Amino acid sequence: MAHLLVIELPGGNDTDILQAAVRQGHTFTFLSQNISAYQTQSQVNRWVSLATDMIYSPSFDYEVVEAAVLQSHAIKPFDAVLCLIDIRLIEASKLAKRLGLRYLNEASATLLRDKYSVREQLKDKGIPQPAFQLATSNAEVLQAIYAIGLPILLKPSDGYGSQNILTLQTQEDLDLAEDALAHLLPLSTDYGLGVRSNDRLLIEQYMQGVFIGCDTFTMDGQHQLLGVNEKLMFAPPSFAIKGGCFTPNQGQLQSLEKYVFSILDAVNFDWGAAHIEIMLTPEGPRLVEINPRLVGAKIARLIGLALNTSVHEALIDLHLGIRYLDELQPEAMQYAVTRWLVASQQGKLERIVLPDGEDEGIRFVEMLASAGDKVYVPFENAHRLGYVMTCSPDRLVAEALAEKYILNSEVILNS
């Protein structure tokens, strides 16, 4: 069995990759900027504590981290590097290269951590893009908005997880926001783990259409489209995702496959998982952004339900050079649907009451909020409280089951 280097956990609490490693009989070393943040969560620490070694680096200075990793590697060699969070992807790529292991190349990892640079690269490759500009000062923010015209979208060029996104759709929106925009920077957003935003803002034409996520695996430059998650958003101005329906790729997505693969080739994506968000506009598919990692927000579980396999185990195999997903059985695939529970008003959570009864189509229910937590009307994904996942060979059945479950759930706030 293999020995894995696992770098941090998505959301600070998602242990699915560790559970997959243990199921497969692998061992792992855990690398973190703040191990105590995991150790104080009993359910998370249950899995983190299974590490054969812990590498702790409060500064996460690369040279310090590399020296510690090489020292650990000399004692028990690593067979793969795994990182599922955006803010450590470049370090993960550097470490994998230093260790001679399979991972996304450093140049692409660096490129993909800057959304403006990706837009520039794709434009140079002849792939149609929405109108866009970079702003690094408040004057440039307003200049870019007026140059591109409404409707407009602003987001951090190094951002992720729908943080600090703003849309201006009408002149009234712009008039109301103009004073705030004149003092927008510096944002200096705290991404956690000692990382702050670089305050490069991508300002682009706001696109409308059907919002989808395409999830891919790439081995040595050869891409595989796992399927498509059609995303359902909460009503504007929210940027939180209400849920989605994942449809497995069974050969019916060839035109979309061609577009997705052209994007991956344009950024020289050579190894690993990617989650590519696309807007299906009247003019054709247009890239929203490329996330060079396995999809987060529990959607990897949703994909696993649809494909009838563990995507996390498949990801480990991919980084070990094993094309695990070749063994998928189309007859075992089905639609998988998720819906998120949210609060209808701001307050402090007293409890969540879930529906009684069970249905074999309900596959996962997880509440992420606890009594005493502050809750908000959802504006970004972090404001969501929990989710249900359902499956069925019939999409409408799976969607109805998930909607009914959320409708019959109750969020009770302290009075």
Side-chain angles (χ1 to χ4, degrees):
M1 292 293 100
H3 184 55
L4 314 174
L5 176 63
V6 180
I7 306 173
E8 306 289 9
L9 295 179
N13 60 8
D14 187 339
T15 61
D16 283 359
I17 191 67
L18 303 184
Q19 294 182 47
V22 171
R23 282 196 305 269
Q24 290 180 301
H26 302 312
T27 58
F28 66 91
T29 288
F30 191 66
L31 168 59
S32 175
Q33 184 265 348
N34 184 8
I35 289 174
S36 64
Y38 302 104
Q39 293 173 329
T40 55
Q41 304 175 69
S42 59
Q43 292 302 313
V44 176
N45 188 52
R46 172 189 171 195
W47 295 99
V48 171
S49 64
L50 297 178
T52 59
D53 190 17
M54 300 272 199
I55 302 176
Y56 170 48
S57 178
S59 68
F60 222 87
D61 176 78
Y62 179 74
E63 291 184 1
V64 174
V65 169
E66 182 184 281
V69 168
L70 291 176
Q71 183 178 12
S72 181
H73 180 67
I75 298 169
K76 188 174 177 64
F78 297 113
D79 299 295
V81 174
L82 293 159
C83 177
L84 280 65
I85 68 168
D86 301 73
I87 57 178
R88 295 293 185 229
L89 289 172
I90 297 173
E91 290 91 343
S93 178
K94 289 181 177 180
L95 289 170
K97 181 179 179 180
R98 183 69 175 83
L99 296 167
L101 300 175
R102 306 167 185 89
Y103 203 84
L104 178 63
N105 69 86
E106 184 183 342
S108 293
T110 302
L111 171 70
L112 290 164
R113 282 296 296 126
D114 189 87
K115 301 180 194 304
Y116 172 76
S117 297
V118 171
R119 287 269 183 237
E120 286 278 275
Q121 175 97 343
L122 297 183
K123 180 181 177 182
D124 290 345
K125 296 287 187 178
I127 296 175
Q129 303 290 297
F132 66 95
Q133 288 191 22
L134 178 69
T136 59
S137 70
N138 291 312
E140 289 178 350
V141 169
L142 291 171
Q143 289 169 7
I145 291 171
Y146 287 116
I148 295 171
L150 299 172
I152 206 89
L153 182 144
L154 298 83
K155 59 184 174 182
S157 196
D158 65 348
Y160 66 99
S162 302
Q163 300 180 75
N164 293 323
I165 297 179
L166 174 67
T167 60
L168 302 170
Q169 303 218 35
T170 66
Q171 185 61 45
E172 182 180 7
D173 292 340
L174 179 56
D175 292 342
L176 290 171
E178 194 156 5
D179 285 345
L181 291 171
H183 303 89
L184 186 61
L185 295 174
L187 285 174
S188 194
T189 302
D190 185 357
Y191 291 143
L193 300 173
V195 178
R196 288 190 172 274
S197 65
N198 60 18
D199 282 340
R200 287 164 55 86
L201 290 179
L202 172 61
I203 300 175
E204 62 185 28
Q205 178 186 15
Y206 179 68
M207 297 180 289
Q208 295 181 319
V210 178
F211 186 32
I212 63 172
C214 299
D215 294 281
T216 62
F217 273 12
T218 298
M219 177 180 285
D220 198 21
Q222 298 298 307
H223 314 302
Q224 181 176 13
L225 176 63
L226 307 184
V228 173
N229 185 31
E230 187 174 330
K231 300 188 180 188
L232 181 65
M233 308 296 293
F234 286 103
S238 174
F239 278 94
I241 297 173
K242 183 178 181 180
C245 177
F246 189 86
T247 302
N249 183 14
Q250 297 178 297
Q252 81 279 28
L253 302 171
Q254 292 181 359
S255 60
L256 183 61
E257 214 174 46
K258 182 178 180 180
Y259 176 72
V260 169
F261 293 175
S262 72
I263 290 172
L264 291 172
D265 289 339
V267 297
N268 193 28
F269 197 99
D270 58 351
W271 211 291
H275 176 65
I276 304 164
E277 295 180 340
I278 292 170
M279 191 71 73
L280 301 178
T281 75
E283 295 76 31
R286 295 290 184 271
L287 177 72
V288 175
E289 62 186 37
I290 306 170
N291 299 283
R293 50 157 174 79
L294 187 67
V295 62
K298 308 295 183 178
I299 298 174
R301 286 190 180 184
L302 192 73
I303 299 171
L305 291 175
L307 300 180
N308 195 35
T309 192
S310 167
V311 175
H312 290 88
E313 289 183 20
L315 180 69
I316 293 170
D317 284 351
L318 175 67
H319 284 282
L320 293 172
I322 304 168
R323 199 179 291 276
Y324 176 83
L325 288 173
D326 281 349
E327 302 174 7
L328 291 176
Q329 301 298 317
E331 64 274 11
M333 297 179 185
Q334 55 189 331
Y335 293 100
V337 169
T338 187
R339 290 292 184 271
W340 284 84
L341 181 67
V342 297
S344 59
Q345 62 185 44
Q346 182 175 329
K348 184 175 287 188
L349 181 63
E350 179 181 313
R351 67 185 187 277
I352 296 173
V353 180
L354 300 177
D356 294 328
E358 295 184 1
D359 187 295
E360 64 179 10
I362 297 175
R363 302 297 300 277
F364 277 122
V365 175
E366 184 179 15
M367 294 298 113
L368 305 177
S370 303
D373 288 351
K374 289 189 69 174
V375 299
Y376 304 88
V377 177
F379 182 75
E380 56 187 46
N381 288 337
H383 295 153
R384 301 177 301 183
L385 307 181
Y387 64 89
V388 60
M389 290 181 180
T390 60
C391 285
S392 174
D394 186 318
R395 174 174 177 165
L396 294 180
V397 170
E399 289 180 327
L401 187 58
E403 293 280 2
K404 181 180 178 182
Y405 192 92
I406 293 298
L407 181 65
N408 292 334
S409 300
E410 188 176 3
V411 178
I412 300 174
L413 307 182
N414 290 332
S415 56

